[in-house]
Amino acid sequence: ELVFPTLDYRTGPYGPGGIPFADGYADYMTLLQERDGGIGGEPIRLVPCETGYNTERGVECYESTKGEGALVYQPLSTGITYQLIPKATADDIPIHSLGYGRTSAANGEVFSHVFNYPANYWDAASGIVNFLLEENDGDLEGKSIALVYHDSSFGTEPIRTLQMLSEKHGFELSLKAVSPPGNEQRSTWLEVRRERPDFVIMWGWGVQNSVAIQEAVNIRYPMNNFYGAWWSVSENDVIPAGAGADGYRAVMFHGVGSDYPVYDDIQEYVLDAGLAAGAGDQVGTVLYNRGMYAAMLAAEAVRTAQEIHGVSDIDAVMMRDGMEALVIDEARMEALGLPGFGPEFSVSCADHGGPGSSAIAEWDADRQSWTMISDFAEPDKELIDRLVLEDSNAYAAENNIPETRCE
Amino acid sequence: MSPPNDTDSYTTPDGRTIGPVMLEVKNITLRFGGVVAIKDISFDIREGEIRAIIGPNGAGKSSMLNVINGFYHPQEGDILFRGEKRGPMKPFQIAQQGIARTFQNIALFKGMSTLDNIMTGRFTHMKAPVWKQAIWRGEAEREEIENRAFVERIIDFLEIQAIRKTPVGRLPYGLQKRVELGRALAAEPKLLLLDEPMAGMNVEEKEDMSRFILDVNDEFGTTIALIEHDMGVVMDISDRVVVLDYGRKIGDGTPAEVIANPEVIDAYLGVAHD
Amino acid sequence: MLYREAGDYKTSYSDDAQTFPIKLDRWWYYAVTFVAFFVVPFVLTDYTVNAIMLPFLIFSIAALGLNILTGYCGQLSLGTGGFMAVGAYATYKLMTAFPDLNIFFIVIISGVITAAVGVLFGLPSLRIKGFYLAVATLAAQFFLVWLFNKVPWFYNYSASGQINAPERTIFGQAVTGANAEPWVAYLFCLVFVFALAWLTRNLTRGRIGRSWMAIRDMDIAAEIIGVNPLRTKLSAFAVSSFFIGISGALFFSVYLGAAEVGEAFGIQKSFLVLFMVIIGGLGSVFGSFAGAAFMVLLPVFLKLFFVDMLGWPTDIAAHINFLVSGGLIVMFLIVEPHGLAALWRTVKEKLRLWPFPH
Amino acid sequence: MLDTAKADDTLLEVNNIEVIYNHVILVLKGVSLKVPKGGITALLGGNGAGKSTTLKAISGLLASERGEITKGSIQYHGESTQNRSPNDLVRGGIIQVMEGRHCFEHLTIEENLMTGAYTRSAAEAKAGLEMVYTYFPRLRERRKSQAGYTSGGEQQMCAIGRALMSKPETVLLDEPSMGLAPQLVEEIFSIVKNLNEQEGVSFLLAEQNTNVALRYAHYGYILESGRIVMDGDAADLRENPDVKEFYLGVGDEGRKSFRDVRSYRRRKRWLN
Amino acid sequence: MPIWLLNTLEVSINGLMTGVLYSLVALGFVLIFKSSGVFNYAQGVMALFAAQTLVGIQTGQVPFAHLINAITGGHIARFGFDVPSLLAILLTTLVMVVFAWVVVKVIMVRLVNQEPIILFMATIGLAYFMEGFGDLMWGAELKNLDVGLPSGGSFWIEDVTAQWAAQGEDYWGMYVDTLDIWATVIAVFLVAGLTIFAQYTKPGRAMRAVADDHQAALSVGISLNRIWIMVWSIAGFVALVAGIMWGTKSGVQFSLSLIALKALPVLMLGGFTSIPGAIVGGLIIGMGEKLFEFLIGVPFLGGATENWFAYVLALLFLVFRPQGLFGDKIIERV
Ligand SMILES: Nc1ncnc2c1ncn2[C@@H]1O[C@H](COP(=O)(O)OP(=O)(O)OP(=O)(O)O)[C@@H](O)[C@H]1O
Ligand SMILES: Nc1ncnc2c1ncn2[C@@H]1O[C@H](COP(=O)(O)OP(=O)(O)OP(=O)(O)O)[C@@H](O)[C@H]1O
Ligand SMILES: [Mg+2]
Ligand SMILES: [Mg+2]
């Protein structure tokens, strides 16, 4: 039996974002169970646990599920991830924080049990800048970029990277903090309106996103110059602004829409069978896709682990090995019914972060859907690796972790 | 009988010695917006005497006590305590000087037991620093027990042993008044201000209360200023009476003198009192 | 008569002033202490420690602290989360700046630092009262959270803005960090709980406690009988913040191990602790424990019931969780507005008379 | 003269009620009394005897203090009052003046009085206001002040005046004379008498000022520790030696001075 | 006019209007506090619940669909018809009245004469309950609220003010949101109406009496029940108005209830018992926090100061007037 605890949050201030992710994760696992009878013949069991995005609930969820043979944790909250890093490491259970969590966990030397492939926040920031560079013929000199961010540790994540990049490429960066939860952002957007930056990047979450997009529409900021982080891409965030939101762009590390063969299977084996995790109305939304992607990566890691160890009923230690040896290539994605859904990548002992590739998607308000307007491209790897190393070394020093694991 | 000079002592007919002036109220005027609660009033309280303050409702009696213990700040006039003019002081500093009081609308600490309420009266006598209280053993405990013993004497004296541990909020009105008296007594005040201590009591209880007041005055030599509407009580236990009428003073003297004063009869008593 | 005090005579005032004047209570207390120190550590599991015991103990400290301020001194505060953050960040700074300083002292120093901050934010209480003060304490809550988030010095300029508790030991046993044995973490917190509960008891039965209660029940009268209101209120703020700071320090270092100020010490924390205090009983040491236990266990039980037993989807269970906790709180208040402690007292009074109705 | 106003039929009847506070504190242990129509009935007794509790039981205010009637019944006009809310009872004609003033602090004196006329029309309220002001001229002077800032006696007048504003049929007066100047005490009781004789208002008054109370009342009950220990015509009570000594302060040798009270006292006869 | 002045003006005006939006939430608090001495923490959740209900009715959602599906295994979600906005608002008002009735019957009357902090606590319990109840009834996902209120910058104002800048300056004109203008108009009417109601009518007077002393109010024959149901209903309606405004602005989901936290400093500054205070407090807080962010917060403190600055501002006022600007004076007497 393969046990996947899921630390969901379907309630509280971020519930609207947590619901589709949780649905996607669960539905994909259900699909494997129903269609393939599990992974490698081994049945799957999901253990959902509601955290409400609350750190103490997260600890409770972790403690109550880890004894059931949990293979991998998806804490789904940066705060909870941080708490679980030392705990899970001590308990020998891997963590996969997909597009959130501790960015410097990409350094597998220091963080033996934490994985954040295929991309992290710093990759995202760099990805956006790279895209802008491309659009502007490789030159951002003298351009201005405003970062509108959630005034919390999540929101401040890209600042370092962007600052470094602004030095490197000569654009001007201005920082605009939004008081959480972000129901009210008038002063920020008046500022944007006054300063008229060439580009706005938003690191938002929850209600902040929809309010920001609405305000941007109100001040008639050109949507094509407005880029969101990948937690600011939910349909929930753009639909309320109506037609005005057309052209809003966001950075992604996985595909959008439901135009993949796997969705037919999900329809057949999960939705039509009445086994949908939630109301079944989230299929194909961005965050649903992300949840599904997380499940897919977990399942692939299981498969890899099964191959490595030659048993189907793997445990958490084997799972970690599988994750460390994970290879996702186009052929595999094709086989899974998700052709081109994400970047190709492989994980290694030292590199838990993957290539950091991302792509830009654009919102089409008429069709109410996202379209990819770029291919997956690598970020400024050299810069980000430096930052990752710096931060992970500091952690290693504070916690006396020897950095010789992968030699 | 008119009292002698401020600095002299004299002896009352029943043999108590009344000392020189302890507290002098000089030309006090107190206004609240347009309302003049006290208008240019002067009188004095002598060491060891029982001084009654009477007057119709709203005359400014309670306000006078509030002025004396520093809760109200008069616009004009001075208070002299033991001959010295009192500067601007906070009520708790005045309490530390040895002035305690009870209140017209009972102001007990409702959430605390009788014992604790009276113990708060000992506040100014307890000195152990906070950290010693936190440790408890040693000085704090010793001090606590000494003061507890003192308070137990007051409890015995007021005959409220049975309600020692009862939260005062549940007590009937009369007992609450008694506890309040106990709390004031616990401070071992030099001057005790009582605002209608016997309101809401029947004769039997008033007799008890009178006895307590007289005993305190007798045994501890506490000076007492007392507001009361029961003329029987005022006549019987006070040495001198000052009469207020809507902010003015209309009489001052022995009970007998005051009661014969036509202005007082007119303003306050209604009919001549027997 | 299952519960009795008759026949239990006191011959000295110190006997009469002791914490549990009734023999039966005293025995109970000895038994509970014994079990807590010498039995529980042997039966603990990761789950019981991390999901139940640690939060219970740590929140008990916070509840004791808030109870001193709100329950005993009557100053309603909604700044608890902010003050816990002060304790947590102080601990983090001390732990990283002085790696050799014993964690025990670090926790205590964090408490002292929090006390100083508490006094600062307590200053307006001289003029501002009741709900106005409660709302004013939110200024502390929001300001402190903003500050810890905004000034990178507090989180050692780490890229993520999160703080992590490195491993620290006492007598060679890890207390913080992932390698701490459950029983060590438990005992470490228990020692604090025990000592602080004892302090609370001492403080509240003596002069300072009475002056707090006097200010609570009627501040004007208290001042007129000689209580200095500013000193008294500030002392309550100081002691209360000291407790809350310690609970914040333990919350971060022993329990969570990592924290981000907005998530871990947001306004929800303030409400949670206030809940504990009120549900447990204002002005009662026992109530602080009862309230903390109630609020820690309630979600665990509800989850056990709806998810594990009935097998309902977690989100519906979570909604129902809100619904039921809210409903229970209201129900408890209706049954006994003065909290679990008062409920317990009433039960004892009934037991004393039992089997007679009155 | 007092005897002539004697009641013909019973307006309010309290039958053997028992009251418990907070589920455990037994306060009234079987109290029965009757208030005749158009009578003035006095309820006397020491501190904590349960007078206020009795009145609150009648007016339905007990529930708001977590008290409940566990036994017995209360009938008004022959109907049980048990399940009626206080405001319903006020409409039905019973109003209570609570002990300890209970004015609305933040309302002015006049607004306080107006709330008393809550159950009546505007015109009636206006007339009532005039009446109260003629009874208590001091209130007219202070009518614009917030009640919280008036003196104790002024608040007492306000509370009584407020109750009269509802033009009640029966008034439960809890210690009306408390804190009032002697002149006013007489005045209040003459108002009571006036209302009683001219408008037929019935009164049940809990009083400590036994002297005045028994002068104006027709009938009296003496309550001690939650039990009625004695009742009778006011005139008879005044002659009772115990009542004389303990409630009127008149010993065998005439009125005693408060200065000469002995510590030792004779036991009340009804106690043995 | 120089641009910096225009900008400051723009920030101030927007601040004032945001303040009005805060006031809408604060108003509900004031009403309930004034009528019962209850500090109703649930006001924010009431706004959320009202907005959820409104959207639910508008879009013909089946109440408790999730729960029903979980139990029966079915897949119901919608009735399949839409309800026109006005009718939906009416129906929602009705729901809020029923809600008021239940709250009063179940909670308030059983807590008569209790200390304020206990009542406060009960309202927090109520807030939790409603949060769960609302989500269970209508689902926790984000919903779009649209009752046809216009929103977005007003072109007219933009054009007019663009002329104010000095010749040759590049100025876009002033940004004022039409939704805010609507909110201001509605708030002014609400405040005027409620002020008259509370100050000059018999139920208004009774309401204030109840707040002072539950027991005394009972003793003079005021029906706490009636007063409270009335006031909670009005507060429910005010919550609906606030919910519509904020829901239009930011969508309907949990965070909507957190605007209560922005209403608290407004309340504190204006005084818990004053209806006009709610609006004046809102104006001061709104303008104060926006100006502070504009002039000091962003240039010197790294921004996002609004959350705490509102409280600090209110605190400063309180130090000088402990009862807020227009609140009833706290009576201190012995
Ligand atoms: N804080 C205050 N603000 C406004 N007016 C006040 C204040 N305190 C007292 N007053 C007014 O001053 C006058 C005197 O009040 P005070 O309480 O001293 O009367 P009193 O003589 O004690 O009367 P009573 O016998 O009724 O208690 C009253 O008219 C009262 O309304
Ligand atoms: N709310 C309450 N909770 C508990 N006990 C109460 C409560 N109210 C009154 N009691 C108790 O009930 C008893 C009777 O009180 P009550 O107020 O009826 O006496 P009373 O005759 O009116 O006395 P007084 O003349 O002092 O007003 C007292 O012993 C008191 O302690
Ligand atoms: Mg007075
Ligand atoms: Mg009474």
Side-chain angles (χ1 to χ4, degrees), chain C residues 169-188:
Chain C
T169 56
I170 265 187
F171 305 124
Q173 292 283 354
V175 177
T176 63
N179 298 317
E181 291 287 333
W183 66 270
V184 182
Y186 166 81
L187 277 183
F188 185 68

Side-chain angles (χ1 to χ4, degrees), chain A residues 1 187 250 272-273 298 333 365:
Chain A
E1 194 187 43
S187 44
D272 293 349
M333 285 191 282

